[in-house]
Amino acid sequence: MTVDVSSNSPTTEATDAPKTPGTGSTGAHLLVRQLEDYGVEFIFGLCGHTNIAFLDALAESSIDFITFRHEQTAAHAADGYARESGKPGVVLTHVGPGMMNAVTGVASAAMDSVPLVVISGDIPSYYLGRHPHQEVNLHNDGDQSAIYRPFVKRAWTVHRVEDLSRFVERAFWTSTTGRPGATLVSVPMDMFSREVTGDVPALPPPPPAQAVPEGVGRRIAEDLAAATNPVLYIGGGVNSADGRGAVLSVAEHLDIPIIHSLMAKGAIADNHPLVAGMPGFWGAELTNQLTRDADLVLAVGTRFAETDASSWDGESTWSFPPSRLIQIDLDPAEIGRNYPVELGVVADATQTLAAVAAALTDVAPDGRDRPELRAQIADSRAEVFSRITSAADSDQMPLRPQRILADLRAAVPANTVLVTDVGWNKNGIAQCYELPAEGRFITPGGSSTMGFGPAAALGVQVASPDRPVVALIGDGGLSAQLAALPTAAERALPVIFVVMNNASHGTISDLQSSSYGRSYGCDFRDREGQPYSPDFAALGISCGLDGYRVEQPEDLQKHLESAMKNRRPAVIDVPMVNEPVPTPGHWNIKDIYRGDFA
């Protein structure tokens, strides 16, 4: 570099000009070319001294780097992008505190089988164990990738620059094949800057779907046809167009009730006459009755989570035995994890159901009609959905949560994506919101992460820029991810953040009150003991979003319609009364509070 003394401004000679990704020969440049070849369009993350060499190479790329103000926000946004687009989300983090900040977001994706590839900068390879700046290692026998190992499918640390592209190829392949999930590539910062030669490894096509064993389709078809009260229980593993078609082919042929996990909400339209809803703690009474009375359960792509199984209490929801269980899952570890199986099938869910449907035409050519069952389901669903429709005219202020859901249902287009985290926003939508067939519901199931909604909604909007996206969240959820707001503004992402504001971690406050007779440490109070809440609308405005406050019962629907029309990012602050979510099923944690547990 030479310095122009007359102007006191540095100038760089042409021979020192930075290299572009097309001509650079460092690990960073090769990585950029590799990600471009893999069709990566967006990377979600933050800068740090360990990854700026990669960011510099990325600057000339077609890939859009979306910079965030907190790594957890970036990871949740990448998760939302992956769920909406069907492509793996890519997260870039920095060493130590950076990659640790992303842990919650990456783990949330991993637990919901969402494909995520995390690329993290790391300390220089030649300083390992000497405690250089921000190294995560106090015991000389660990490294930062060990933090991720409990929940990622695989973690790699690059010890030679020649291995960087191979490890990244494995990370993408592993993340997207079999049961999808998260992977980590930890890259010492010197590996980004080292010279490297070689071609970008091609990303192998996914292996063919796990074949359905010979005769299994017919065996399942025969068992379903012979059963008196069969139940089809579906999870997120059938959340595709082909999967939905296969589910309906089986269910409609024999009029089998369809019960879905939280993650499968919307997989089959809520208004389908055989969809009975969720089971378990938040399930409807009829749904839990159907599960208890079933003589045969065909479970597909679901892990029998605790909330969907009433803490695995046989008197409340599933009862194995005497019920018999056939379980289909891509992940062999899920077969029989929580209940004994009569037949476990490790295979692609859609292909297996298609084989069952084909066999049913021979095993039971006339099918079966159960008008009484359909009538029962219709009555149950009408009662459940009436919980919000009956509150549509309530003038109570603060608003009841049911009124908020009713106004939302009336104001947003049918194809809206609803993104939630935890509390009334998730439970209310899952239980009693009739999701249109064109709509979508995205929520963190495995981890129930507060703060998922505001951040994941950004990634959903990136994936579908023309689709309406509403982050329906609590005040606690938005407070956990205020960093989502400025990113929405600077990227012009027209997410509408609807804040169900009860100045409380409401669900936990209700739980404590019902168990101990008071709520302590769960509600937001000022020094005088009065409810306290930030003005979220004003916060939104300060970040460059539109801000709306609901002061009259009729305001919410008007504000929603205005925000939808304007197609700008907006915050709608909705005062809400703290009201318990209906819980027809059983949850063991309540027994623990009473001291009545095994």
Side-chain angles (χ1 to χ4, degrees):
M1 173 179 288
T2 60
V3 178
D4 182 349
V5 178
S6 62
S7 64
N8 289 325
S9 61
T11 60
T12 303
E13 295 178 351
T15 54
D16 293 330
K19 298 173 182 178
T20 66
T23 59
S25 56
T26 67
H29 292 102
L30 181 64
L31 176 57
V32 169
R33 292 196 292 272
Q34 182 175 10
L35 296 176
E36 288 176 334
D37 283 356
Y38 290 178
V40 173
E41 298 177 281
F42 301 97
I43 296 177
F44 304 79
L46 260 76
C47 62
H49 72 265
T50 59
N51 64 29
I52 56 173
F54 172 66
L55 287 174
D56 182 70
L58 194 64
E60 303 296 327
S61 169
S62 61
I63 299 170
D64 189 356
F65 178 69
I66 305 179
T67 187
F68 288 81
R69 288 163 174 80
H70 194 279
E71 289 85 357
Q72 184 178 342
T73 319
H76 285 319
D79 180 350
Y81 171 82
R83 296 188 200 222
E84 178 66 9
S85 69
K87 303 175 183 177
V90 181
V91 182
L92 178 67
T93 69
H94 165 59
V95 68
M99 64 94 68
M100 287 191 289
N101 280 343
V103 161
T104 302
V106 178
S108 294
M111 293 175 72
D112 285 345
S113 303
V114 176
L116 221 62
V117 175
V118 183
I119 299 170
S120 180
D122 201 348
I123 61 165
S125 60
Y126 43 84
Y127 284 155
L128 179 66
R130 298 185 65 181
H131 292 183
H133 185 52
Q134 295 184 316
E135 181 182 21
V136 184
N137 180 347
L138 287 178
H139 308 292
N140 297 319
D141 59 356
D143 57 55
Q144 67 176 18
S145 64
I147 299 167
Y148 276 53
R149 292 190 191 279
F151 51 85
V152 296
K153 291 183 71 175
R154 182 78 189 274
W156 294 263
T157 298
V158 178
H159 296 292
R160 304 184 314 141
V161 68
E162 292 83 4
D163 293 329
L164 174 59
S165 58
R166 181 169 64 89
F167 288 173
V168 170
E169 178 266 310
R170 287 290 84 192
F172 272 83
W173 196 87
T174 302
S175 178
T176 55
T177 57
R179 178 179 178 174
T183 55
L184 168 71
V185 182
S186 186
V187 187
M189 61 182 293
D190 55 301
M191 298 299 168
F192 284 131
S193 300
R194 291 181 184 272
E195 296 291 317
V196 65
T197 59
D199 297 325
V200 170
L203 187 62
Q210 182 77 35
V212 185
E214 183 72 27
V216 163
R218 186 176 183 89
R219 156 83 185 273
I220 297 174
E222 289 172 345
D223 285 352
L224 288 173
T228 302
N229 296 309
V231 162
L232 180 54
Y233 176 44
I234 63 172
V238 296
N239 211 347
S240 67
D242 290 342
R244 290 190 288 271
V247 168
L248 291 177
S249 294
V250 173
E252 292 176 347
H253 191 83
L254 294 176
D255 262 12
I256 302 173
I258 301 170
I259 294 173
H260 62 77
S261 70
L262 172 70
M263 299 306 295
K265 165 81 174 181
I268 307 297
D270 271 339
N271 63 1
H272 190 282
L274 290 173
V275 172
M278 290 193 308
F281 180 57
W282 289 301
E285 292 183 12
L286 174 65
T287 314
N288 284 325
Q289 178 187 328
L290 290 171
T291 60
R292 290 192 303 269
D293 294 345
D295 55 345
L296 178 67
V297 176
L298 176 58
V300 187
T302 182
R303 60 189 181 90
F304 287 98
E306 181 184 8
T307 52
D308 292 328
S310 292
S311 295
W312 308 290
D313 175 60
E315 296 183 2
S316 299
T317 305
W318 310 102
S319 184
F320 302 106
S323 298
R324 300 154 53 213
L325 174 61
I326 298 174
Q327 189 173 3
I328 303 168
D329 205 288
L330 264 180
D331 185 352
E334 294 300 338
I335 303 294
R337 179 194 292 274
N338 287 312
Y339 291 116
V341 297
E342 179 177 286
L343 175 64
V345 182
V346 179
D348 178 77
T350 299
Q351 285 197 10
T352 306
L353 285 176
V356 174
L360 279 174
T361 61
D362 179 48
V363 170
D366 297 329
R368 180 166 53 194
D369 294 321
R370 302 174 70 186
E372 311 86 5
L373 170 68
R374 291 185 176 230
Q376 277 186 301
I377 291 175
D379 290 344
S380 172
R381 300 293 269 172
E383 187 277 325
V384 168
F385 295 143
S386 72
R387 294 176 193 168
I388 66 170
T389 57
S390 62
D393 297 326
S394 171
D395 289 333
Q396 178 179 331
M397 285 293 293
L399 291 180
R400 297 184 67 197
Q402 297 92 335
R403 169 67 191 264
I404 296 173
L405 297 184
D407 284 1
L408 182 71
R409 183 71 168 77
V412 302
N415 67 333
T416 298
V417 183
L418 300 177
V419 189
T420 72
D421 36 59
V422 293
W424 242 108
N425 50 85
K426 177 183 80 172
N427 303 331
I429 294 291
Q431 277 187 315
C432 53
Y433 187 98
E434 188 174 1
L435 190 70
E438 306 93 327
R440 187 161 187 204
F441 170 54
I442 293 178
T443 196
S447 61
S448 292
T449 305
M450 186 172 67
F452 170 90
L458 301 180
V460 172
Q461 193 71 85
V462 168
S464 294
D466 298 325
R467 191 171 184 179
V469 178
V470 172
L472 183 67
I473 49 185
D475 52 307
L478 183 56
S479 296
Q481 286 297 326
L482 290 174
L485 298 182
T487 301
E490 65 192 9
R491 300 291 303 197
L493 298 171
V495 175
I496 301 174
F497 301 88
V498 178
V499 187
M500 302 172 76
N501 188 351
N502 55 12
S504 173
H505 294 305
T507 301
I508 305 304
S509 179
D510 288 332
L511 186 60
Q512 189 186 51
S513 295
S514 64
S515 300
Y516 297 103
R518 63 181 176 182
S519 175
Y520 177 78
C522 303
D523 306 310
F524 303 113
R525 297 286 186 263
D526 63 19
R527 294 296 295 271
E528 282 71 44
Q530 297 302 308
Y532 170 79
S533 177
D535 185 336
F536 289 107
L539 275 171
I541 291 171
S542 73
C543 293
L545 291 76
D546 294 339
Y548 304 85
R549 282 190 58 80
V550 172
E551 297 175 339
Q552 301 295 329
E554 64 273 13
D555 287 350
L556 175 55
Q557 195 164 334
K558 291 191 299 185
H559 292 337
L560 281 165
E561 291 168 352
S562 295
M564 284 288 172
K565 180 179 178 181
N566 293 339
R567 289 295 290 163
R568 281 179 40 79
V571 177
I572 304 177
D573 193 343
V574 191
M576 184 185 83
V577 65
N578 205 10
E579 186 171 320
V581 180
T583 54
H586 165 81
W587 200 358
N588 176 252
I589 62 170
K590 293 186 175 183
D591 293 341
I592 294 173
Y593 299 142
R594 292 190 296 265
D596 179 21
F597 55 93

